[in-house]
């Protein structure tokens, strides 16, 4: 079936660095993409979303880039902090129906 | 953002017993709620979609008679794991989507850790 996948299972960065988490998706019919942050033992927390008619969206310290040509999604975190350490999931919604989650990337931020 | 709560946050039960997990949207009405299961170091897997006032739609491979879902109001959905067994031990997470429908954001609860002895 269609799936969303990630290139890197673990990303280690130093505090203050910028982090880039990548995601490849396979369903060209997806209209909507979301990045979630999940801390250990907690539910996913919404970070930022982007619709398929956009290629970039910025939030506070975060930017999501969408490249529909190569079906690639990325999350950029500026000035990464220890509190950003978590597992990050990209998710897509083909046809605005159900969320399909990627496999997740663990971000480790060292002080 | 909107708040979704789950109760209990953690439950330990004996094999063969049933466990009920509640999911509530605290400050918004949710036409649709979703139930996910997550095993350690894995992604979230959708179990079922629950619409207020109607029967839940289960994903392929999920036993509807084992995982009973009730969505009695626009702010409450419950998942009952019937005759639980150790293989049902997992992290169960619900999410709620607002009245705007598919374009509305899905907010997740904090999860319920179920351990079946």
């Amino acid at each position: 079936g269609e799936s969303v996948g990630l290139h890197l299972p673990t990303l280690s960065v130093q505090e203050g660095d910028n982090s880039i988490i990548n995601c490849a998706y396979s369903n060209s019919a997806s209209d909507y993409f979301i990045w979630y942050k999940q801390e250990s033992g907690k539910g996913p927390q919404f970070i930022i979303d982007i619709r398929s008619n956009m290629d970039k969206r910025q939030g506070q310290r975060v930017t999501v880039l969408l490249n529909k040509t190569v079906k690639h999604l990325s999350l950029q975190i500026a000035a990464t902090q220890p509190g950003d350490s978590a597992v990050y999931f990209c998710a897509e919604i083909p046809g605005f129906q159900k969320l399909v989650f990627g496999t997740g990337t663990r971000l480790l931020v060292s002080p | 953002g909107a708040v979704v709560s789950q109760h209990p946050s953690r439950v330990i039960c004996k094999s063969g017993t049933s466990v009920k997990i509640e999911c509530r949207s605290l400050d918004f009405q949710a036409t649709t709620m979703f139930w996910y299961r997550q095993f350690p170091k894995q992604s979230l897997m959708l179990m079922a979609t629950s619409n207020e006032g109607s029967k839940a739609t289960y994903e392929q491979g999920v036993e509807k008679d084992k995982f009973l879902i009730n969505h009695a109001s626009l702010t409450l959905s419950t998942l009952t794991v019937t005759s639980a067994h150790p293989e049902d031990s997992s992290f169960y997470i619900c999410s709620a989507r607002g009245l705007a429908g598919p374009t509305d954001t899905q907010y997740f609860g904090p999860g319920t850790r179920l351990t079946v002895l």
Side-chain angles (χ1 to χ4, degrees):
Chain A
E2 306 258 27
S3 65
V4 177
L6 293 173
H7 299 301
L8 298 172
T10 303
L11 176 64
S12 297
V13 300
Q14 293 288 321
E15 181 178 1
D17 288 351
N18 296 330
S19 302
I20 299 176
I21 301 172
N22 296 302
C23 176
Y25 65 94
S26 57
N27 193 331
S28 57
S30 290
D31 307 287
Y32 183 46
F33 303 87
I34 309 170
W35 280 101
Y36 286 96
K37 172 186 179 183
Q38 187 179 27
E39 296 176 79
S40 181
K42 298 182 179 179
Q45 176 187 359
F46 173 91
I47 300 174
I48 192 168
D49 61 358
I50 189 168
R51 298 189 188 277
S52 58
N53 61 352
M54 304 171 67
D55 54 20
K56 180 179 180 179
R57 190 164 187 220
Q58 287 185 294
Q60 188 176 16
R61 283 202 306 119
V62 295
T63 301
V64 56
L65 298 177
L66 174 62
N67 186 330
K68 294 182 287 294
T69 302
V70 295
K71 298 178 186 173
H72 185 266
L73 194 68
S74 69
L75 176 69
Q76 300 178 3
I77 305 174
T80 314
Q81 303 167 0
D84 295 327
S85 294
V87 176
Y88 290 80
F89 293 97
C90 66
E92 60 178 328
I93 305 183
F96 286 104
Q97 295 301 313
K98 299 176 290 190
L99 274 176
V100 176
F101 279 89
T103 54
T105 292
R106 180 174 299 280
L107 177 65
L108 298 175
V109 183
S110 303
Chain B
V3 178
V4 176
S5 71
Q6 279 184 243
H7 178 79
S9 58
R10 190 180 294 266
V11 57
I12 300 173
C13 69
K14 293 182 178 179
S15 184
T17 60
S18 295
V19 175
K20 179 185 283 188
I21 303 170
E22 291 186 350
C23 176
R24 295 180 184 272
S25 55
L26 297 184
D27 50 2
F28 69 103
Q29 292 182 316
T31 309
T32 305
M33 289 185 172
F34 304 86
W35 287 95
Y36 295 82
R37 183 163 59 179
Q38 185 179 33
F39 292 107
K41 299 184 180 180
Q42 294 188 24
S43 188
L44 283 75
M45 297 301 296
L46 180 65
M47 298 174 67
T49 301
S50 167
N51 289 296
E52 186 266 338
S54 63
K55 290 184 178 180
T57 302
Y58 290 81
E59 294 300 299
Q60 192 172 9
V62 178
E63 300 175 59
K64 62 180 181 180
D65 293 332
K66 180 169 184 62
F67 298 99
L68 301 178
I69 292 172
N70 183 275
H71 193 161
S73 74
L74 287 173
T75 59
L76 173 64
S77 176
T78 61
L79 167 68
T80 301
V81 183
T82 62
S83 188
H85 291 285
E87 58 265 30
D88 298 322
S89 298
S90 188
F91 194 48
Y92 291 86
I93 306 171
C94 73
S95 71
R97 189 172 68 193
L99 298 180
T103 57
D104 211 339
T105 303
Q106 236 176 278
Y107 294 95
F108 286 81
T112 296
R113 173 78 58 195
L114 171 62
T115 302
V116 185
L117 303 177

